[in-house]
Amino acid sequence: MSLLIHGVAPDFTSDSTQGPLSFHAWQGHHWVIFFSHPKDFTPVCTTELATVARLHGAFAERNAKALALSVDSVEDHHRWIVDIEATQGIAPNFPILADPERRVAQLYGMLPAGAPDSFTVRSVYFIDPAHRIRASLTYPAATGRNFDEILRVLDGLQLTDRHAVATPANWRPGGEVVIVPSIQDPDELARRFPQGFRAERPWLRWTRLPSDQT
Ligand code: BEZ
């Protein structure tokens, strides 16, 4: 099953390293970065989970929580966490779902083609506080994800929600943004962008948000 941007992220219950978890209730009014990884006791996954643990403060600043999933058992997860802490110097500080029957993995399309009994791939879902899927990424097992990029995407989504702007190619926080084409009324433009903007075309208008609004 493939989940669509702007669709509701399906609710589910699952066992996790922090006990039974009911997804929408656990999410509350936060953003969630929900990501799967293939297997416990594997090297790339070990580095990814430690990286996400180190970003706990960065996620909290963005009102976001991390949630991981793999198809191993809770018991395996707990044994692996000991190794993650011993080798990476930090233990996961977020729940890891145990999905040995691949119920949640099927629901979220996290399994590779033609292999329903295999390991999950590296899926990432960005889910907003209204439980809507706002972005997704998919990487194969052997390619570790760039979690700075995941934070950058989250920043872009939140900026779009706060201001009527979109983020151009290779945007970085603080960089120029583009005004969404749907805003054409001069009064609305003046109200939303008192700092002004530069119009290369009526549909290509650049502005820089004041630093306290980014
Ligand atoms: C890893 O996490 O290191 C990994 C998992 C499955 C296949 C290849 C690498």
Side-chain angles (χ1 to χ4, degrees), residues 84-171:
I84 295 174
E85 185 161 24
T87 61
Q88 310 299 303
I90 190 164
N93 42 25
F94 48 86
I96 307 173
L97 302 184
D99 192 32
E101 285 159 7
R102 290 140 174 90
R103 268 188 319 111
V104 180
Q106 297 265 15
L107 193 61
Y108 275 78
M110 291 169 163
L111 294 165
D117 294 334
S118 74
F119 306 129
T120 31
V121 296
R122 298 187 196 279
S123 303
V124 187
Y125 287 99
F126 298 73
I127 301 169
D128 73 15
H131 310 305
R132 298 262 167 201
I133 294 175
R134 299 290 299 279
S136 66
L137 299 168
T138 310
Y139 285 55
T143 306
R145 286 160 285 202
N146 181 335
F147 286 90
D148 292 337
E149 168 64 2
I150 287 166
L151 283 181
R152 191 193 72 95
V153 172
L154 183 56
D155 284 339
L157 292 168
Q158 294 186 346
L159 201 68
T160 298
D161 283 358
R162 282 199 300 275
H163 309 283
V165 297
T167 52
N170 293 342
W171 170 82

Side-chain angles (χ1 to χ4, degrees), residues 38-39 42-46 119 122 141-142:
K39 189 151 180 52
T42 50
V44 176
C45 301
T46 298
F119 306 129
R122 298 187 196 279

